[in-house]
Amino acid sequence: MRKRGLPSCTGRNRIDDLFNYRLPDRVPLGSVSIGFNAVNAGYRVSDVLEDPEKCFQAAVWTADLYDWDPMPQYSGHTVWGAIDFGGTVRMPVGRYESALIVTSHPVQCEKDLSTLKLPDPKTAGRIPLAMGFSRLQAESGFPVFFSSRSPFTMAANICGLENFCRWMMRKPELCRELMDLSLTHILNVLTYWVETFGAERMFVWMSNPSESNQVISPKHVASFALPYHLAYHEKLRAMGIKRFGFHLCGDQNRNLPHFVHADP
């Protein structure tokens, strides 16, 4: 068995082909499961969330073990809105938790918005840990992954999804204020990554679980979320980023017509 942390040459070549616009020998197959990688490598999930090097080693070793193609990623985007803006989170515990858990949102009520400030894009929350992981990616010759939630989902993360959904109906201007802050913060942090690694090394990944039709209607996706998706894409183009992944979390079948007909 190869030393832990050394991915197979075949998988590395396949990823290299994919990200350099060459046809790989087959469709790459990888895993983005932080929790499975951790347990498979003999760690607790909290171990890899607190230690970027363990997280990186667990990802590439697991890919090598199962003959997957190595796509190491670091999970921090799930709690960006809460922790970066001053909320609190805790580590997963027990067998059935595999992600960070928000314990308090920085915005509890409308008046809290008046004191909300943009976080430092280099030091807030778990950004230093994510940057440490990205440096390991770059040093090992991988594409540098930048993960975030959508501006809509981050905004809901700042005040709590229940509050956010209520405000969409009663005070939509508050939702748009939070989404403006969220988009600005995401782009500020992304600028830090681009300045550090260069746009040509970047792969940007965005996910949007709060836009699921299990939570909101397609009408609200079109009027609230979609304009911010498009604004994000426009900024990516302007920054010279050519590789972008968008993960539609949950059941979003009824949202698809809006995405298809959106004018990027």
Side-chain angles (χ1 to χ4, degrees):
M1 181 180 293
R2 281 183 291 271
K3 182 180 178 182
R4 180 178 299 186
L6 297 177
S8 70
C9 292
T10 302
R12 286 292 299 270
N13 292 340
R14 194 171 289 125
I15 295 299
D16 186 59
D17 285 342
L18 177 68
F19 281 89
N20 285 285
Y21 307 103
R22 298 187 298 265
L23 185 66
D25 61 329
R26 63 164 173 78
V27 175
L29 173 65
S31 168
V32 295
S33 172
I34 304 297
F36 177 79
N37 293 341
V39 174
N40 185 66
Y43 298 124
R44 297 174 302 174
V45 179
S46 58
D47 292 335
V48 300
L49 289 173
E50 293 177 315
D51 188 329
E53 187 169 355
K54 287 180 180 177
C55 186
F56 183 81
Q57 290 177 347
V60 294
W61 187 71
T62 298
D64 186 54
L65 182 65
Y66 291 100
D67 198 24
W68 294 339
D69 301 309
M71 301 179 186
Q73 297 186 49
Y74 187 71
S75 177
H77 61 279
T78 55
V79 296
W80 260 40
I83 192 171
D84 285 14
F85 283 86
T88 58
V89 303
R90 68 167 174 81
M91 287 291 162
V93 295
R95 295 181 59 187
Y96 302 108
E97 291 183 350
S98 60
L100 294 155
I101 310 296
V102 177
T103 54
S104 69
H105 298 278
V107 171
Q108 303 285 335
C109 59
E110 182 178 347
K111 68 178 182 179
D112 292 337
L113 278 168
S114 63
T115 59
L116 200 64
K117 297 180 180 179
L118 278 170
D120 187 308
K122 297 183 179 180
T123 63
R126 297 174 55 80
I127 292 173
L129 294 174
M131 174 55 74
F133 187 89
S134 290
R135 292 189 189 280
L136 291 170
Q137 289 179 309
E139 291 167 4
S140 299
F142 286 105
V144 175
F145 280 61
F146 177 86
S147 298
S148 78
R149 294 299 201 192
S150 66
F152 183 99
T153 294
M154 179 180 281
N157 197 234
I158 293 172
C159 65
L161 185 57
E162 184 177 340
N163 265 342
F164 195 78
C165 288
R166 186 181 298 115
W167 289 346
M168 276 197 300
M169 304 297 293
R170 298 177 180 175
K171 298 187 176 182
E173 71 280 359
L174 300 183
C175 296
R176 293 191 171 91
E177 182 179 347
L178 285 170
M179 287 188 289
D180 285 336
L181 282 169
S182 297
L183 178 59
T184 299
H185 179 49
I186 292 168
L187 293 172
N188 285 346
V189 181
L190 178 56
T191 298
Y192 174 37
W193 254 248
V194 171
E195 290 173 349
T196 302
F197 303 106
E200 70 283 353
R201 296 289 304 276
M202 298 293 301
F203 176 74
V204 175
W205 175 265
M206 185 176 79
S207 55
N208 66 337
S210 297
E211 288 95 311
S212 165
N213 297 140
Q214 296 155 301
V215 180
I216 65 173
S217 71
K219 179 183 74 173
H220 285 117
V221 168
S223 59
F224 284 90
L226 191 56
Y228 288 86
H229 292 331
L230 298 178
Y232 193 5
H233 278 75
E234 290 170 0
K235 291 294 186 180
L236 292 177
R237 285 202 193 106
M239 297 170 78
I241 293 172
K242 299 179 179 179
R243 304 176 184 92
F244 179 82
F246 186 10
H247 185 251
L248 301 175
C249 303
D251 179 0
Q252 301 212 22
N253 287 323
R254 291 188 293 154
N255 296 337
L256 296 181
H258 293 300
F259 291 121
V260 168
H261 297 295
D263 184 14

